[in-house]
Amino acid sequence: MRILLCSLLLLAFITPTCFASSKTLSDEEIFQKRMELYKRVETVTNLPWYYMAAVDHYERSIRSVRRDLPKAEGITGIYFKPEQWSGFLNPDRKDVHPLSIQLFNGIGADGNGDGKANINDDMDILFSFANYILNYGVDEDQFKIALWEYYKRDKTVGIIMEKARLYKHFGRLDLNHKTFPLPRGYNFTYHNTWGDSRGWGGRRIHEGTDIFAGYGVPVRSTSYGIVEMKGWNKFGGWRVGIRDINNTYHYFAHLNGFAKGLKIGQIVKPGTLIGSVGSTGYGPPGTSGKFPPHLHYGMYKDNGRTEWSFDPYPYLSQWERLDRIRASKK
């Protein structure tokens, strides 16, 4: 009944729309089309647009790094297995009829008012997931419960809620801008040291790039994101962890200290001061000076199951170059 009622409401607000493949659109056009979709779902369901944006982007991010999931080709990124869409007991895995799908407890629903529940239609996909959320409610606590029941993973729930906070705070989808962690005007040097061996504390590989600079050189957030971690680690000393909108965790270690007022849960943007270069670590809290001052910068990706490190050097080189280009245009 809820699906039928919402579908009737959709007909009053939405004319059937077919969106082009994302491959044919510019980034700006893609962001615009996605926002239109999120806002339309919000109009009908009262589910805040930034909740749908967060789920959609999370699914797109894991599909980009998982081999067991097809890559997203449309405007949206949420993936449903055919049997999940049509209903596990439905003999027709390609069923597009909303009533028979509902009969077999499938998640698929008609979101664009064309009378079909098309697993390849962007509006149908978003509307179907929104309908699932409506079974629990639209406030924050109910949304979190719905996410846990769907993904069965606390970390996934936390990541999606962080994305929702970022979208709500900035009020837009384009949050991909990056910057080099150290400001221009300071002397620094770095090389590709990811994967090198490390001996202190046992054999391990170097999961980052070391940027050598003087004590006290400012360290900045490289992205839009949320501070997930701040504190001491016997390996990394004083360190900060920030997760960006693309589900990448940025790790800053061996800091001399933290920026005043920096706290866990804080929203940051590219260039936000988070600390300064130091040489802390390799011992109990307060240990410093066991190596030259530098920033250890690492990047980690979560794929919905686990998290692993990857080489940040190519990204650092690109961000440094882009900062140089931006400065030349001022």
Side-chain angles (χ1 to χ4, degrees):
M1 179 61 69
R2 181 188 295 275
I3 293 177
L4 180 61
L5 178 60
C6 288
S7 296
L8 292 174
L9 286 172
L10 269 176
L11 290 174
F13 287 98
I14 304 171
T15 56
T17 305
C18 181
F19 290 106
S21 167
S22 60
K23 297 178 181 178
T24 67
L25 301 173
S26 67
D27 289 343
E28 183 178 353
E29 289 172 327
I30 290 174
F31 288 130
Q32 180 180 348
K33 294 292 186 182
R34 283 177 184 154
M35 183 62 87
E36 290 174 2
L37 289 167
Y38 303 149
K39 290 286 190 177
R40 288 175 175 179
V41 172
E42 180 183 59
T43 298
V44 175
T45 66
N46 289 322
L47 188 67
W49 70 267
Y50 43 85
Y51 283 168
M52 287 308 304
V55 173
D56 189 39
H57 198 173
Y58 172 78
E59 292 254 348
R60 192 179 310 111
S61 70
I62 64 173
R63 290 176 72 175
S64 69
V65 296
R66 289 259 296 270
R67 294 182 179 180
D68 61 323
L69 296 174
K71 298 296 183 286
E73 295 183 356
I75 299 297
T76 57
I78 298 175
Y79 173 68
F80 297 108
K81 294 179 180 179
E83 61 270 23
Q84 183 184 14
W85 182 266
S86 61
F88 287 95
L89 298 179
N90 193 334
D92 184 3
R93 287 287 181 259
K94 298 181 179 180
D95 194 355
V96 295
H97 299 92
L99 291 180
S100 56
I101 290 175
Q102 185 177 7
L103 178 65
F104 287 103
N105 294 317
I107 200 169
D110 174 19
N112 62 10
D114 66 355
K116 298 179 180 180
N118 186 348
I119 196 172
N120 296 312
D121 184 274
D122 291 311
M123 192 62 195
D124 288 357
I125 291 170
L126 289 177
F127 184 62
S128 296
F129 197 92
N131 265 320
Y132 164 78
I133 298 297
L134 290 179
N135 291 320
Y136 296 85
V138 297
D139 68 27
E140 182 174 316
D141 289 338
Q142 293 167 330
F143 180 64
K144 290 167 67 175
I145 292 172
L147 291 178
W148 194 91
E149 291 293 340
Y150 189 82
Y151 292 104
K152 305 295 185 182
R153 185 173 182 249
D154 289 337
K155 188 166 187 175
T156 292
V157 176
I159 289 173
I160 291 175
M161 295 308 298
E162 287 182 355
K163 287 178 181 287
R165 281 189 61 206
L166 287 172
Y167 283 135
K168 180 180 181 181
H169 179 82
F170 291 104
R172 56 190 176 88
L173 299 178
D174 184 9
L175 300 177
N176 295 318
H177 178 80
K178 301 292 193 303
T179 194
F180 195 74
L182 304 187
R184 288 180 54 78
Y186 291 90
N187 293 323
F188 57 82
T189 183
Y190 62 102
H191 304 284
N192 192 351
T193 56
W194 188 86
D196 289 353
S197 62
R198 288 292 183 269
W200 193 90
R203 289 181 60 84
R204 54 197 174 89
I205 70 166
H206 190 231
E207 296 184 345
T209 293
D210 289 336
I211 306 174
F212 291 88
Y215 283 106
V217 171
V219 174
R220 314 177 299 173
S221 171
T222 54
S223 65
Y224 291 95
I226 292 180
V227 177
E228 280 193 352
M229 180 270 295
K230 170 194 171 188
W232 178 269
N233 175 275
K234 65 180 180 180
F235 297 102
W238 300 119
R239 78 262 197 265
V240 172
I242 297 172
R243 189 172 303 276
D244 71 16
I245 198 68
N246 293 312
N247 207 20
T248 300
Y249 183 77
H250 303 254
Y251 180 71
F252 307 78
H254 304 316
L255 299 175
N256 195 46
F258 304 115
K260 184 178 181 180
L262 186 74
K263 59 183 181 296
I264 293 176
Q266 179 178 332
I267 292 176
V268 296
K269 59 183 180 180
T272 298
L273 181 67
I274 62 173
S276 60
V277 173
S279 61
T280 59
Y282 285 16
T287 303
S288 181
K290 290 194 173 184
F291 42 77
H294 67 275
L295 170 68
H296 169 97
Y297 180 78
M299 296 175 73
Y300 298 78
K301 179 69 74 174
D302 183 274
N303 67 0
R305 292 175 175 171
T306 187
E307 193 167 64
W308 76 95
S309 70
F310 60 96
D311 188 359
Y313 181 80
Y315 300 92
L316 289 169
S317 298
Q318 179 185 31
W319 301 338
E320 183 190 8
R321 184 172 62 255
L322 290 175
D323 280 0
R324 191 182 309 117
I325 294 173
R326 295 185 193 109
S328 68
K329 293 181 178 179
K330 291 183 180 179

